[in-house]
Amino acid sequence: MNTLHVALGDRTYPIIIGSNASHAAEPLQKAIIGKTVLIVTNTIVGPLYAEQLAKTIRGLGKTVHIHTLPTGEEYKNLETLNTIFDTLLANQCDRKTTLIALGGGVVGDMTGFAAASYMRGVPFIQVPTTLLSQVDSSVGGKTGINHPMGKNMIGAFYQPQLVLADLSTLNTLPGNELSAGMAEVIKHGAIYDAAFFSWLEDNMPKLMAKDEAALTHAIVRSCEIKSEVVAQDEKEGGIRAILNFGHTFGHAIEAGMGYGAWLHGEAVGVGMILAADLSHRLGQLSATDVTRIQNLVKAAGLPTEPPKLGIDKMIELMKLDKKSDAGQIKFVLLEGIGKYKIQTAPKIILRETLRVCEVI
Amino acid sequence: MNTLHVALGDRTYPIIIGSNASHAAEPLQKAIIGKTVLIVTNTIVGPLYAEQLAKTIRGLGKTVHIHTLPTGEEYKNLETLNTIFDTLLANQCDRKTTLIALGGGVVGDMTGFAAASYMRGVPFIQVPTTLLSQVDSSVGGKTGINHPMGKNMIGAFYQPQLVLADLSTLNTLPGNELSAGMAEVIKHGAIYDAAFFSWLEDNMPKLMAKDEAALTHAIVRSCEIKSEVVAQDEKEGGIRAILNFGHTFGHAIEAGMGYGAWLHGEAVGVGMILAADLSHRLGQLSATDVTRIQNLVKAAGLPTEPPKLGIDKMIELMKLDKKSDAGQIKFVLLEGIGKYKIQTAPKIILRETLRVCEVI
């Protein structure tokens, strides 16, 4: 088992990474302060892992309830969130009740926001079961839900007490979900660590074959990078924005296609290619590096072409991004692999990059 | 104008109290960082004060939108909250947009929670227009909405940038709302300041006649007391709970009658009488002091008898209170005027106190 700490003062918490990490009773015992636990999961993950987790926690003398959400990003909304509150209140759960998110990013985001909001905040543990949630949403405390007009528009910064990233849950993960998670792993290399990016180029076949040692390294290094960034800027005033590399384009694709049509990681994969292209057109990234990013995204089994949403539609959707400032789109771009730059872009050059989105 | 500061480290904020405080451009200019402001108000307060406030802020070169909520506690729910997000997104409001709550406690609670949650947190200003919101909800950062199964069950601790308590808005306040606010003023004296309680006994007729000097003193002293308590315990781990004197009973009355049937302050007024009665039955408060509390509640024009909800129903509702701990009801009681004690109570004695709630 590998243990990292996300350093956030009195909100510092451990991430435990390894096979069967979710069976580890000791960290759970330390993290659960009250007598009652609500495991929130979904219809796919719940049947596979909820009972085992509940059994481990019942073994600690706790009362465990299980709440199962419908599966999919399209349910990450206010109505579904409210069903968690219904269950909490129906079971008379008090302020010391711990919420455990067992599932991927959608379950984690919704459970985290439910924990942040229920009685103005109850304790919260994450057991991420997808690569994406293990390397991304389990670090950093971002929680939230979607609004029909924008992704993650409603939420809170709220830190968990503990994250258990159980590698063995990846065995049941579909291939396209593994790819989607890999998009964020690639992102961490691209913006922050050229050596890690090279390592990913060499090891992508192993990673896609779910080689345990390779996956462990990729997850640990990703969590380290994200932790380092988040520890410097918990509430996204500055450097944390670099984690949005590929996301300005990606969010527009997700919103434009309707939530659930593209996986988040798929949209981010294409978004990184577009961001690399824009960086190149601005004269700050070599054609070779653009190709390296394209190739690595492709090697991870991700799409490399954006949907034909139209240039104007893409720009309109990007203006709604949370990082926009009075209608100005702020991009996270590259000045070489491993080196980010936050900047705006002239509209005429942006439109060049977006030409691949043109409706045919 | 009187200015107080709620001392919360880097979240410290000023409360400005006085006639026409909401016309003061300087503090607004200091507090509004972005270019866009959304004033959230309701159908009663909006027509009276929204345009004047919007004009003042437009004079600072800001774009101002106004969102009008339906009036009443029964709309303090997830659906109404979502209409604020709709307006924010329809106007492409970004992370620097300031939300201003113009209205009473319901508007303040909902706007505050919307500000806490929109894009995971945007700046927020309160312009409370009722006595209740001036002395209570504008200090302390509690925001939230109701759930059919419990009041304020969903929310956040979120501090405003500024509070403008404009005394002139009290001129249009209905008498029963003035009384409701007075319940919290009485509470502050009862739990924390015996001299202030005596002053209230002497000055209640003046206060009910909206004498400006008397009201100013009552509001300033109330805000001081609440600020002092909150500064010691922002997130209600300890002493802050004393502000719930009368509220455990009061919340049960509100929930039991259906939100909106009783004003919050009316329920708290009766709740304080029940809490005083329970304190007396536990041998820690004299019969004279119970009578003083009853008389002061009555002098404020508040009801002094609880509705006949039934003893069991009241106990069941109280167990749902956020301060309950594993089904144990924690009461804030008195050991004399101005001296609180947090404690549980034997069921048999509690039932004696609740006998006045018995269904006839």
Side-chain angles (χ1 to χ4, degrees):
Chain A
M1 300 279 192
N2 295 270
T3 302
L4 295 179
H5 284 89
V6 183
L8 294 167
D10 61 356
R11 291 183 305 290
T12 294
Y13 64 89
I15 304 178
I16 299 174
I17 301 163
S19 267
N20 300 315
S22 67
H23 302 199
E26 202 189 279
L28 284 166
Q29 178 152 43
K30 251 176 99 174
I32 300 169
I33 52 158
K35 291 171 187 160
T36 308
V37 167
L38 179 69
I39 297 174
V40 181
T41 184
N42 69 22
T43 51
I44 289 178
V45 176
L48 296 170
Y49 305 112
E51 260 318 312
Q52 172 62 48
L53 181 60
K55 205 178 134 189
T56 303
I57 299 168
R58 285 197 192 103
L60 302 171
K62 312 287 178 184
T63 302
V64 181
H65 305 287
I66 297 175
H67 181 87
T68 305
L69 301 172
T71 303
E73 179 91 25
E74 64 271 36
Y75 296 103
K76 192 172 137 180
N77 56 31
L78 221 45
E79 291 69 43
T80 313
L81 178 75
N82 203 27
T83 66
I84 302 176
F85 298 132
D86 292 341
T87 296
L88 284 164
L89 284 161
N91 289 292
Q92 303 196 8
C93 290
D94 65 18
R95 282 186 168 177
K96 288 185 179 158
T97 301
T98 296
L99 266 67
I100 301 186
L102 173 68
V106 173
V107 169
D109 285 3
M110 294 191 71
T111 309
F113 188 41
S117 308
Y118 185 63
M119 297 193 175
R120 301 197 186 90
V122 296
F124 163 50
I125 292 171
Q126 297 229 41
V127 184
T129 60
T130 63
L131 181 60
L132 178 60
S133 55
Q134 290 178 354
V135 299
D136 188 38
S137 43
S138 66
V139 187
K142 282 195 181 179
T143 71
I145 55 175
N146 298 329
H147 183 281
M149 292 176 72
K151 201 174 142 67
N152 294 323
M153 283 294 167
I154 303 159
F157 287 100
Y158 199 69
Q159 304 298 340
Q161 258 61 40
L162 169 69
V163 176
L164 300 175
D166 188 337
L167 281 179
S168 58
T169 62
L170 300 183
N171 293 331
T172 53
L173 191 70
N176 63 336
E177 299 254 10
L178 188 72
S179 297
M182 213 56 81
E184 301 284 349
V185 175
I186 293 169
K187 180 193 79 178
H188 290 130
I191 52 169
Y192 208 78
D193 186 343
F196 182 49
F197 191 91
S198 298
W199 181 90
L200 289 170
E201 291 179 311
D202 295 341
N203 290 276
M204 194 50 78
K206 273 192 189 172
L207 288 167
M208 294 312 292
K210 297 184 184 174
D211 176 277
E212 196 176 306
L215 275 176
T216 302
H217 178 70
I219 295 169
V220 169
R221 186 66 197 126
S222 274
C223 288
E224 279 172 358
I225 291 172
K226 185 158 185 190
S227 299
E228 250 182 78
V229 173
V230 168
Q232 292 172 64
D233 176 24
E234 187 179 356
K235 297 208 173 156
E236 203 161 28
I239 186 180
R240 183 166 175 163
I242 69 170
L243 298 171
N244 278 280
F245 177 63
H247 283 58
T248 310
F249 294 102
H251 285 161
I253 292 171
E254 284 183 274
M257 297 299 287
Y259 295 122
W262 278 53
L263 290 178
H264 175 67
E266 292 171 342
V268 168
V270 172
M272 291 192 290
I273 292 172
L274 293 172
D277 180 86
L278 184 56
S279 307
H280 176 62
R281 286 178 198 277
L282 290 168
Q284 58 199 53
L285 189 71
S286 71
T288 313
D289 284 345
V290 176
T291 306
R292 284 177 70 194
I293 289 173
Q294 268 173 339
N295 287 344
L296 193 52
V297 168
K298 196 175 175 189
L302 291 161
T304 55
E305 293 278 338
K308 307 295 181 194
L309 283 165
I311 298 176
D312 293 328
K313 175 83 178 169
M314 280 292 288
I315 291 177
E316 186 196 319
L317 288 164
M318 285 193 285
K319 279 191 181 164
L320 276 178
D321 194 86
K322 285 193 292 298
K323 277 96 215 166
S324 291
D325 186 354
Q328 275 274 42
I329 308 168
K330 288 228 182 122
F331 293 98
V332 182
L333 300 180
L334 298 181
E335 289 186 306
I337 300 284
K339 206 165 164 224
Y340 65 86
K341 190 179 174 188
I342 300 173
Q343 63 199 113
T344 57
K347 215 166 208 172
I348 192 162
I349 299 181
L350 174 61
R351 294 186 75 90
E352 282 299 315
T353 288
L354 289 174
R355 192 165 277 182
V356 282
C357 301
E358 216 157 11
V359 184
I360 305 159
Chain B
M1 298 280 193
N2 295 269
T3 302
L4 295 179
H5 285 90
V6 183
L8 294 167
D10 61 356
R11 289 182 308 290
T12 295
Y13 64 90
I15 305 178
I16 299 173
I17 301 163
S19 266
N20 300 314
S22 67
H23 301 199
E26 203 189 278
L28 285 165
Q29 178 152 43
K30 251 177 99 174
I32 300 170
I33 52 159
K35 292 168 185 160
T36 309
V37 167
L38 178 69
I39 297 174
V40 181
T41 185
N42 70 21
T43 51
I44 290 178
V45 176
L48 296 171
Y49 305 112
E51 260 319 312
Q52 173 61 50
L53 181 60
K55 206 178 134 189
T56 304
I57 298 168
R58 285 195 193 103
L60 302 171
K62 312 289 180 184
T63 302
V64 181
H65 306 286
I66 298 175
H67 181 88
T68 305
L69 302 171
T71 303
E73 179 91 24
E74 64 270 37
Y75 296 103
K76 193 172 137 179
N77 57 32
L78 221 46
E79 290 70 41
T80 312
L81 178 75
N82 203 28
T83 66
I84 304 176
F85 298 133
D86 292 341
T87 296
L88 285 164
L89 284 161
N91 289 292
Q92 303 196 6
C93 290
D94 64 18
R95 282 187 169 178
K96 288 184 180 160
T97 301
T98 296
L99 266 66
I100 301 187
L102 173 68
V106 173
V107 169
D109 284 3
M110 294 190 70
T111 309
F113 187 42
S117 308
Y118 185 61
M119 294 192 176
R120 302 197 187 91
V122 296
F124 163 51
I125 292 171
Q126 296 231 40
V127 184
T129 61
T130 64
L131 180 61
L132 177 61
S133 55
Q134 290 179 355
V135 299
D136 188 37
S137 43
S138 65
V139 187
K142 282 194 181 179
T143 72
I145 55 175
N146 298 328
H147 184 281
M149 292 176 73
K151 201 172 143 66
N152 294 323
M153 282 295 168
I154 303 160
F157 286 99
Y158 199 67
Q159 303 298 339
Q161 258 61 40
L162 168 70
V163 176
L164 300 174
D166 189 337
L167 280 180
S168 58
T169 61
L170 300 183
N171 293 330
T172 53
L173 191 70
N176 63 337
E177 299 254 10
L178 188 73
S179 297
M182 214 55 80
E184 301 285 349
V185 176
I186 293 169
K187 180 193 78 179
H188 290 130
I191 53 170
Y192 208 76
D193 185 343
F196 182 49
F197 191 91
S198 298
W199 181 89
L200 289 170
E201 291 179 310
D202 295 341
N203 290 277
M204 193 51 78
K206 275 192 188 171
L207 289 166
M208 294 313 291
K210 297 185 183 174
D211 176 275
E212 197 176 304
L215 275 176
T216 302
H217 178 70
I219 295 169
V220 169
R221 187 65 197 127
S222 273
C223 288
E224 279 172 358
I225 291 172
K226 185 158 185 190
S227 298
E228 249 182 77
V229 172
V230 168
Q232 293 172 62
D233 176 24
E234 188 178 356
K235 297 208 173 156
E236 203 161 29
I239 187 181
R240 182 165 178 164
I242 69 169
L243 298 170
N244 278 282
F245 176 62
H247 283 59
T248 309
F249 293 103
H251 285 161
I253 292 171
E254 283 184 274
M257 296 300 286
Y259 294 123
W262 278 53
L263 290 177
H264 175 67
E266 291 171 342
V268 168
V270 172
M272 290 192 291
I273 292 172
L274 293 172
D277 180 86
L278 184 56
S279 308
H280 174 64
R281 286 179 198 275
L282 290 168
Q284 58 199 54
L285 188 71
S286 72
T288 313
D289 284 344
V290 175
T291 306
R292 286 177 69 194
I293 288 172
Q294 266 173 339
N295 287 344
L296 193 52
V297 167
K298 197 176 176 187
L302 292 161
T304 55
E305 292 278 339
K308 307 294 181 196
L309 284 164
I311 297 176
D312 294 329
K313 175 83 177 168
M314 281 292 288
I315 292 177
E316 185 196 320
L317 288 164
M318 284 192 286
K319 278 191 181 164
L320 276 178
D321 194 86
K322 286 193 291 299
K323 277 96 217 165
S324 292
D325 186 356
Q328 274 275 41
I329 307 168
K330 288 227 182 122
F331 293 98
V332 182
L333 300 179
L334 298 181
E335 288 186 308
I337 301 284
K339 205 162 165 228
Y340 65 86
K341 189 178 176 189
I342 300 172
Q343 63 197 111
T344 56
K347 215 165 209 172
I348 192 162
I349 299 180
L350 173 62
R351 295 185 75 89
E352 282 300 314
T353 288
L354 289 174
R355 194 165 275 184
V356 282
C357 301
E358 216 158 10
V359 184
I360 305 158

